[in-house]
Amino acid sequence: MSNQPHDPQQPYEPHGPYGSYQPPHEGQQQPPADPYGAYAQEQPGYGYPQQQAYAQQQYPQQQYPQQQQQQQPQQPYQQPYADPYAAQQQYAAGWDQQRHYAQQHQQQQQYQQAAHPRPQAQRPAAPAPTAPGPAPAAPEPARPMTAAEKARAEGRPQIIDPGLRPAALTAVLAALLAATAPLGEFGVAVAVALLQAVTAAGWFRLNGMWPARQGIALAFAGGLAADAGLLATERVHAPTVLIGTIGVWLLLVIVLQLRSHASADERLYGLTAAVVSSALTVIAAGYLAAVDESSDAVVVGTAAVAVGTLARALPLPTPAAVALGLLAAAGAGAGAGQLTGTGTAAAAVLGLAAGACALVGLRVAAYDYPSRFVHMTAGVALPLAAAAPAVYVLGRTLV
């Protein structure tokens, strides 16, 4: 490099391969160091074509890393992509196919069962459908069958008449009435009160209402009121006392049921049971009225009821037992009439009527397969209570 000043008339000499360093202009990116004058490429007017040709001749295969990156096209990054819905669609398709096959299999089985039905005993029970949810609770123990349900399942008759034991108790109570009849009204009143108590309790138990203390007490109170009225009045007023007592107690029963908080059906059922129980209890007081007319009528009537009830309780077919009971009642009435000095024919008619009423009472007590307690209450009292009107009416006319 010369130290002489530059002549403005002379152009610059071209730089050699090892020319002096020229700083890059502002804003331009500085390329990597080039020992052969690569920076001269950025300097316009300083022999650029000659230097570029010289560099290409000397290093024809040299390329910068940045230029390689710019020349190579960028390929998009491809990564295997799994469709999240492909497995789900495949599972749904498989499930639909299985369900279709299951429906076809079920239709085929139904068609085969309809074409070739199996006997009822050999047909397998269909499994009960199970609902999703928590584990099912333990099954409750089976309720024991009642006597009526067991009789219905076994094909036996569901109505059973009272046996010999209730008939024997009826005979004892009838004998007590017959024994106290000669003593007058006050002697018969004790036996009548006992009959009324058993009648009130037995009717409520027969209707399945137990314990029904309020209804039983009300019906028994009606019977005692009738007894008190008959004892306090003359015998000619006996029908008025009995009918009036029944009417008053009917109003009391209605008022009592209106104050009840039970449902309408239960109140109606309680009303009918209380009315009938009160009426039967009051009617049983007819023996007191019959004693005023004739004590012999009470003896004949109660004897007929006792013998007829015992004959009906014998283990015989129903028609034969009924016929035997009626004949035994008539014969017992005739026999009691001979003992009391009453006419045989009149006593037989009275005994037949009392026996028929007693058999009706037995049939009512045997309704709908009652329990043993029903037989020991309603089965004992209803034959005597049902026979009281016949003893009173026929006792006035025949004896």
Side-chain angles (χ1 to χ4, degrees):
M1 186 173 185
S2 178
N3 295 327
Q4 294 181 2
H6 174 66
D7 188 2
Q9 297 296 330
Q10 299 292 333
Y12 286 98
E13 296 180 358
H15 294 279
Y18 297 96
S20 61
Y21 171 75
Q22 296 293 333
H25 294 282
E26 183 179 359
Q28 295 182 355
Q29 185 178 3
Q30 183 178 359
D34 187 1
Y36 299 100
Y39 288 100
Q41 298 177 3
E42 301 293 330
Q43 304 296 330
Y46 290 94
Y48 170 73
Q50 293 82 359
Q51 293 179 1
Q52 184 177 10
Y54 178 81
Q56 291 178 357
Q57 292 177 2
Q58 295 294 328
Y59 303 97
Q61 297 179 354
Q62 183 176 1
Q63 295 180 355
Y64 300 112
Q66 293 182 357
Q67 293 179 357
Q68 293 179 359
Q69 293 179 359
Q70 294 177 0
Q71 292 177 2
Q72 294 179 358
Q74 296 181 356
Q75 299 294 333
Y77 178 73
Q78 297 181 357
Q79 183 179 0
Y81 176 73
D83 189 1
Y85 298 99
Q88 182 176 1
Q89 293 176 359
Q90 184 179 4
Y91 176 77
W95 175 254
D96 293 339
Q97 187 176 6
Q98 291 181 2
R99 184 172 58 183
H100 179 67
Y101 289 158
Q103 291 178 357
Q104 288 183 351
H105 182 67
Q106 184 177 6
Q107 291 177 0
Q108 185 178 5
Q109 287 184 351
Q110 292 178 358
Y111 176 76
Q112 291 178 358
Q113 291 179 1
H116 305 284
R118 297 181 180 180
Q120 187 68 23
Q122 299 179 359
R123 184 174 299 173
T130 58
E140 297 181 358
R143 180 181 60 86
M145 297 177 63
T146 61
E149 293 174 351
K150 187 176 180 180
R152 189 184 302 111
E154 295 176 356
R156 295 185 285 105
Q158 303 177 28
I159 297 176
I160 296 180
D161 297 320
L164 287 173
R165 184 178 299 178
L169 293 177
T170 301
V172 171
L173 189 56
L176 180 62
L177 286 171
T180 57
L183 301 178
E185 294 180 349
F186 292 97
V188 177
V190 177
V192 169
L194 180 61
L195 173 62
Q196 289 171 339
V198 179
T199 302
W203 185 260
F204 277 97
R205 186 64 184 90
L206 182 63
N207 286 269
M209 303 177 65
W210 187 268
R213 301 183 183 88
Q214 191 174 9
I216 294 174
L218 182 62
F220 182 62
L224 294 181
D227 296 343
L230 290 174
L231 293 175
T233 58
E234 298 179 356
R235 60 184 181 180
V236 294
H237 300 295
T240 304
V241 172
L242 296 177
I243 296 174
T245 304
I246 293 175
V248 172
W249 250 249
L250 176 61
L251 293 177
L252 291 177
V253 169
I254 293 175
V255 172
L256 179 64
Q257 294 300 323
L258 288 177
R259 297 183 59 185
S260 176
H261 298 285
S263 61
D265 295 339
E266 292 180 356
R267 283 185 292 179
L268 180 60
Y269 190 64
L271 176 64
T272 55
V275 168
V276 176
S277 179
S278 300
L280 289 175
T281 306
V282 172
I283 287 174
Y287 289 104
L288 281 177
V291 168
D292 290 339
E293 298 291 340
S294 174
S295 60
D296 294 340
V298 176
V299 174
V300 172
T302 53
V305 170
V307 176
T309 302
L310 289 173
R312 177 64 180 85
L314 294 177
L316 297 174
T318 301
V322 171
L324 180 61
L326 292 176
L327 292 177
Q338 291 180 357
L339 293 176
T340 57
T342 309
T344 304
V349 173
L350 177 59
L352 181 63
C357 294
L359 295 184
V360 172
L362 284 175
R363 179 62 179 80
V364 173
Y367 177 72
D368 195 13
Y369 207 96
S371 63
R372 183 178 301 178
F373 184 74
V374 173
H375 286 167
M376 300 302 294
T377 52
V380 172
L382 287 183
L384 284 171
V391 173
Y392 173 74
V393 173
L394 293 180
R396 294 181 61 183
T397 57
L398 298 177
V399 179

